[in-house]
Amino acid sequence: MTDNNKDLEDIAKNATEDFYDLLGVTFDASESSIKKAYRKASIRYHPDKNPDDKDAADRFIYLGWARDILIDAKLKGEYDRARTRRREKTLQDELLDGRRRKMKDDLERREREGKEFANGLKRKRAEDMSEAEKRAHEIQRLAEDGKRRRKEAQERMEKRRKEEEEEASFVEVEEVPQAPKPGDTPEIDRTVKVRFQREGESTGWDKEKVQKMFAKFGKIDSVVMGKDKKIRQSGEKHRKVIAIVFIIYTRLDHAHAAVSDGKNDYPMLDSVSWANGEPEIKSPMNPPSAPSTPVATPKTFRSSFGPGIGKGVGGTPLGTPKFSFSPKTPSLQEVTMIRLKEAEKKRLEEQIRKQEAAEEAAA
């Protein structure tokens, strides 16, 4: 190996720059595309054309390294492995920070509730209150808190309803929708957490096996294998080895399909869930086109957005869509986004009903 190749190999293993972003190319770009992108970028960032930019010379050097590494299969492999390790570490740090933030928020919420309760007792000292008065005071506080929660829930539902009405208008837009870039959604929101027991068929499952299983739901960015843990399941006498895997999809709807259908497709799994809680679903300005690996086609569809939205062209129900090339006909991805909105709305309504039932029982 020449000294030049040895230097490039060291750079490929240790560079912190994202060479794909630097050149503006995709992960699977061809050699000709990489060279073409390099020519354009080198002209744009040449030091002679940027005399006032003190970083132009360094950027120009990095462009040359990026080109030489990405067009060499061996160097590209070294760089991709190092890049994946960095991204996996970043993801693990984000997951840890997310758990710490949740613990901090729970602590602050408890302190706030304690202060509110203490303020309510200032008018009368606790030792001067009878047990009946204390119960009446607590019931009144719970009733006021329930009223406030119901009001907030109604406001959220009204806001969500308006957003859904605005999103439903995308069906009538004449322009052909454009797919969002995979990186528009944070990685933590596109991450799915999979748990399974190390026994029987799943004893030897590794990173490649899990990736192959879940690739059916959409394109996977990367897979992170957590450390196996010995956990005693409810009702079990002995501990069992539980494997935990984090799967990062390139698109949020693919991750949603994995969470929705993964447990049904692979019953031997213990659970398939969101790594950081279910993300809020927001409709993009330009709804994405149908994915290359489509999610499950909806069997039924009931629209709550108003007349005309629940049917396609010619009155065909969206539950068994017949798509044409007309821009007005909703795409499979639009149908999927609407289904996700409907599911989120039903979940919120069910949660509110449970809260109200609990408050009525306490009263």
Side-chain angles (χ1 to χ4, degrees):
M1 179 182 294
T2 63
D3 292 340
N4 186 39
N5 285 343
K6 183 66 171 59
D7 292 340
L8 288 176
E9 183 177 355
D10 292 338
I11 294 171
K13 292 179 180 179
N14 302 307
T16 58
E17 293 284 338
D18 193 323
F19 290 159
Y20 295 104
D21 290 343
L22 189 64
L23 291 175
V25 297
T26 60
F27 177 83
D28 55 352
S30 63
E31 180 177 345
S32 59
S33 300
I34 294 173
K35 291 181 177 179
K36 183 178 180 181
Y38 166 76
R39 287 194 295 270
K40 290 183 178 180
S42 61
I43 293 174
R44 186 186 312 117
Y45 297 117
H46 197 281
D48 293 341
K49 290 192 175 184
N50 300 273
D52 298 329
D53 187 358
K54 61 181 181 180
D55 297 327
D58 292 338
R59 190 185 300 112
F60 186 80
I61 294 173
Y62 270 93
L63 286 172
W65 289 345
R67 176 202 59 190
D68 294 339
I69 290 173
L70 295 184
I71 63 176
D72 186 294
K74 181 178 178 181
L75 295 177
K76 182 178 184 298
E78 292 287 352
Y79 173 75
D80 288 342
R81 284 189 289 272
R83 177 172 176 262
T84 299
R85 286 193 295 270
R86 290 195 301 271
R87 298 179 70 181
E88 290 176 350
K89 185 179 183 304
T90 300
L91 175 61
Q92 291 173 347
D93 293 341
E94 289 178 353
L95 292 173
L96 180 60
D97 291 340
R99 288 193 291 270
R100 288 174 177 170
R101 284 195 300 271
K102 187 175 184 304
M103 293 175 61
K104 180 176 179 293
D105 292 341
D106 290 342
L107 179 61
E108 292 176 350
R109 176 180 58 79
R110 293 174 183 174
E111 291 177 349
R112 184 168 59 253
E113 291 175 352
K115 289 180 180 179
E116 291 175 355
F117 181 75
N119 291 335
L121 297 178
K122 284 183 178 179
R123 297 176 183 175
K124 191 171 185 179
R125 298 185 58 178
E127 56 266 26
D128 297 333
M129 296 175 65
S130 65
E131 291 298 326
E133 289 176 326
K134 291 180 180 179
R135 286 195 298 270
H137 185 275
E138 180 65 12
I139 290 173
Q140 182 181 1
R141 186 189 69 82
L142 291 174
E144 292 175 352
D145 185 66
K147 182 179 179 180
R148 176 182 59 81
R149 290 175 182 271
R150 285 193 295 272
K151 182 179 179 181
E152 292 175 352
Q154 290 175 354
E155 291 175 351
R156 289 195 298 270
M157 290 180 62
E158 181 66 19
K159 181 179 178 181
R160 192 178 299 276
R161 184 185 64 79
K162 292 180 180 179
E163 292 176 351
E164 291 171 346
E165 290 177 351
E166 294 175 356
E167 292 163 356
S169 64
F170 286 128
V171 177
E172 302 298 331
V173 175
E174 295 293 337
E175 298 177 356
V176 178
Q178 300 294 324
K181 296 180 179 179
D184 287 349
T185 307
E187 283 188 349
I188 193 66
D189 288 345
R190 293 181 272 111
T191 302
V192 175
K193 181 180 179 181
V194 178
R195 288 166 53 102
F196 60 88
Q197 297 182 17
R198 291 287 189 185
E199 61 179 17
E201 180 183 348
S202 59
T203 301
W205 285 1
D206 55 8
K207 179 177 179 180
E208 288 72 20
K209 173 64 176 178
V210 175
Q211 182 167 0
K212 183 178 180 181
M213 291 167 56
F214 279 82
K216 63 185 291 185
F217 301 110
K219 187 176 181 181
I220 295 176
D221 191 347
S222 59
V223 176
V224 180
M225 293 291 296
K227 293 183 178 179
D228 292 353
K229 298 181 179 180
K230 289 187 176 180
I231 300 176
R232 180 180 291 109
Q233 304 281 20
S234 177
E236 298 287 342
K237 294 183 178 180
H238 304 287
R239 293 184 178 183
K240 294 187 177 181
V241 179
I242 303 297
I244 301 177
V245 187
F246 296 97
I247 305 172
I248 310 170
Y249 283 91
T250 59
R251 290 168 51 148
L252 178 59
D253 55 334
H254 294 176
H256 188 279
V259 173
S260 300
D261 302 331
K263 186 68 170 66
N264 293 332
D265 290 358
Y266 302 106
M268 69 286 294
L269 298 176
D270 283 359
S271 65
V272 181
S273 60
W274 297 100
N276 196 38
E278 184 173 358
E280 181 181 358
I281 302 170
K282 296 182 179 180
S283 177
M285 293 301 295
N286 292 317
S289 60
S292 58
T293 304
V295 296
T297 304
K299 296 180 179 179
T300 60
F301 176 73
R302 297 178 181 176
S303 173
S304 62
F305 299 132
I309 302 302
K311 295 184 176 182
V313 177
T316 302
L318 291 179
T320 53
K322 295 181 180 180
F323 298 102
S324 67
F325 292 99
S326 171
K328 291 186 178 180
T329 303
S331 67
L332 176 60
Q333 187 59 29
E334 291 172 329
V335 174
T336 302
M337 292 300 295
I338 294 175
R339 286 184 64 226
L340 298 184
K341 283 292 182 182
E342 284 290 314
E344 175 65 12
K345 183 177 179 181
K346 290 180 180 178
R347 185 189 65 79
L348 180 60
E349 291 174 350
E350 183 65 21
Q351 181 181 356
I352 293 173
R353 284 196 293 268
K354 289 181 179 179
Q355 289 179 353
E356 290 177 345
E359 291 165 358
E360 290 176 358

